Structure formats: C-alpha cells, structure tokens
Amino acid sequence: MNISFRFPEIAMRLAAGAACIAAAAFAGLAQAHPPVRIATVTPSAPPRSAEIPTAAADAALESLGVGDQLRVTVFRNPELTTEGRITERGTILFPLIGEVQVAGMTPAQAGAAIAKKLRDGKFVVHPEVNVALAQVNSRQVAVLGAVNKPGRYPIDSQNSKLTDFLAAAGGIAPAGAEHVTLVSNVEGRTEKRDIDLNAIFRDGDLSKNVRLQPGDTIYVEKAPMVYIYGEVQKGGAYRLEPNMTVMQALALGGGLTARGTQRGIKIARHTPQGVRQIDARLTDPVKEDDVIYVSESLF
C-alpha cells in the first residue's frame, strides 16, 4: 500500500476533526459565559441656561429717537438726498411724500417705510433707500467730574458699558477717584449707585461693568487729597493713596529742604470738633484733607 497517496486524505480528516473540537469548545464557553449586552445610552441635551435678553436691548439701542439727525439717500436718485432731525412727533420730512413716522424704528426699518411711500405714490419704481444716523441725540450718557473730556456721548450697541463711556471721555483725570457714581432714572425715580473701578480692572468683576441706559449720568469724584507746605521741595496738593504715611506724603513733595527738620512736622486735621494740630512722626498715617507743615530747623 502506497502511504504517500493517502497522506492528503489523512490530513484533511485531521483538520476536519480539529475544527469540530474547536466549535464544540466555543459553544460550551458561550453557554458558560453568555455575552454581556452593552446598552447604548443617548445623552440628553444639556439644559439651556437662561438667555440674557441682549438682542432686545441691542435693538432698542439701535432704534431712532426724537432729536436724532438722519441722512437719507435713494439709490440712483441723488436729488432726493435729505438730511433732517426727527421731530417731537417722531417724524422726518421727506421730499414728495411729506412726513414719515420713523421714531422707534431701526435705520433699516425707517428706510423700508420711506421706500414703501415712494413706491405706493409711484414716485420711484423700485426705490432703494438708505437711512444713516448722522448724529445721535436721543440716546446719550453724560460723563462728568474728574475725567479728561467731560460731556455727553451717544449710546449704541457697540458702546453701552460703563468702561466704554469712561474711555470715550478720555479716561479718568489724574485727580480722579477710583470709584464712580452712576445716576439713573428708573421708573420715574432717581437711583444712585457707587461702583468701584478696582473691582472691574484689578479683580475682574465684570458684573460691575454695567450696561447703561439713555439718560444715565456718570460722575467721577475727585480723589482724596493731602496738602503739604513749609520746608519741602515741592509743596502742594497730592493724591492720598491707601495707607499712606507722613514719610510717603513728604516723598511726593520731593522731601525736605536743607532747612527742614523732621522734628518740626505738624498736621492740621479736620475733626468733628474742628481743626486739630498734631505733632507728627514720619510713620504716622495720613488722612483725607490733612495739611502737613514742615517747619524750619533752628540750628
């Protein structure tokens, strides 16, 4: 018998047997350890935070008001170009169509209203009207006190925060305080609010950088001062810094002259009982409105 001819047949039978044994083993393992079903969980959408109604506020700040100066142009009709101020009735006078109510509208809405009247009156077939604000007078904020450029500044969607108007006024003057007073008219009553600028810039408390409303007034008070005179290099009024001492105040004035003496420093301090004279040392604290006098040395 030729074994070489039977070798392929024997190999095929061995392979088939091994496959049957592996299948049986896998079936037993599956019965002993059933597959674990993994549930697919669809994450729910996160709850939406309360939306801040900034869109409505921005729309109100873009609306036209009484006293605003407008420039109206009509495409391909330069003869209809008009500049005018919104009247107390909230209207603007436009050629051919007369008065048009525009107060309370945005510039785009006002342009659409003028275009409709031109089209309905058959003055212009396909009018394209553009309304631009030449000067804002209905929405202004007053910035007063110790700023570099006090005055009234327009409020819009781009410039509506407290710091925006301080920047428009040229910033706080060197003698200005580190807090401001905001005066607002809320439902017919006047409200005052003191705002610490350090809380905004140093501490990053943006809640203090409030959004202003038309008619608000920002008042920047003068910083507390200390006054130095006598035998000092540069007598005068200087800004009182927190925890300032007599030595620091004298340093602002350039220090003592050659004739000045540290033993002759006096402070005139205002008290509820009147002005009080105090013999001061260099390490003594200085208070608001103190008057520091350096006397001349006798030797």
Side-chain angles (χ1 to χ4, degrees):
M1 180 177 179
N2 192 348
I3 299 177
S4 61
F5 289 104
R6 296 183 55 86
F7 181 78
E9 180 180 356
I10 295 172
M12 292 178 60
R13 289 182 178 182
L14 290 174
C20 292
I21 294 173
F26 181 78
L29 181 63
Q31 291 178 359
H33 302 282
V36 179
R37 295 181 178 271
I38 302 176
T40 303
V41 180
T42 303
S44 58
R48 297 180 61 184
S49 58
E51 296 182 358
I52 301 174
T54 54
D58 290 343
L61 293 178
E62 291 292 345
S63 63
L64 305 175
V66 174
D68 287 346
Q69 186 78 17
L70 305 182
R71 178 178 175 84
V72 185
T73 56
V74 183
F75 185 60
R76 293 197 182 96
N77 293 271
E79 68 280 0
L80 294 180
T81 299
T82 302
E83 288 193 12
R85 190 181 301 272
I86 300 178
T87 66
E88 295 293 335
R89 297 186 299 275
T91 61
I92 186 173
L93 189 63
F94 195 78
L96 303 177
I97 58 177
E99 286 189 327
V100 183
Q101 187 73 32
V102 295
M105 298 181 178
T106 63
Q109 293 171 340
I114 295 173
K116 183 177 184 303
K117 284 184 174 290
L118 289 173
R119 185 171 54 252
D120 293 346
K122 299 181 179 180
F123 299 111
V124 182
V125 179
H126 297 293
E128 296 181 21
V129 181
N130 178 65
V131 176
L133 262 171
Q135 183 178 357
V136 179
N137 296 317
S138 62
R139 306 184 309 275
Q140 291 187 335
V141 171
V143 186
L144 307 174
V147 291
N148 291 310
K149 295 187 297 182
R152 298 179 64 87
Y153 295 90
I155 181 173
D156 52 39
S157 60
Q158 300 299 321
N159 299 288
S160 61
K161 298 294 187 68
L162 173 67
T163 53
D164 295 334
F165 290 96
L166 291 177
I172 297 177
E178 296 176 349
H179 66 275
V180 301
T181 300
L182 176 62
V183 181
S184 304
N185 191 337
V186 180
E187 297 180 354
R189 67 179 185 276
T190 301
E191 289 189 356
K192 294 177 62 178
R193 180 178 179 183
D194 291 330
I195 300 176
D196 185 6
L197 295 180
N198 281 332
I200 300 175
F201 299 111
R202 182 188 61 200
D203 302 334
D205 187 0
L206 298 182
S207 65
K208 302 290 185 182
N209 192 18
V210 296
R211 174 178 289 223
L212 305 187
Q213 300 298 325
D216 285 354
T217 299
I218 302 171
Y219 180 74
V220 181
E221 297 181 356
K222 287 186 177 181
M225 307 296 289
V226 59
Y227 306 89
I228 307 171
Y229 77 109
E231 293 300 327
V232 290
Q233 301 290 344
K234 295 182 296 183
Y238 295 92
R239 181 188 181 115
L240 177 65
E241 301 294 339
N243 304 318
M244 178 179 282
T245 63
V246 172
M247 181 184 297
Q248 293 170 332
L250 293 176
L252 294 176
L256 278 61
T257 66
R259 295 179 298 179
T261 174
Q262 298 180 7
R263 295 189 298 270
I265 301 175
K266 296 184 180 298
I267 295 179
R269 178 167 297 166
H270 293 272
T271 65
Q273 293 76 28
V275 179
R276 178 186 174 191
Q277 296 289 338
I278 303 173
D279 293 328
R281 296 172 298 178
L282 293 177
T283 56
D284 288 346
V286 180
K287 295 186 178 181
E288 181 178 356
D289 292 331
D290 276 358
V291 179
I292 302 176
Y293 172 73
V294 180
S295 61
E296 182 180 357
S297 176
L298 299 177
F299 303 99

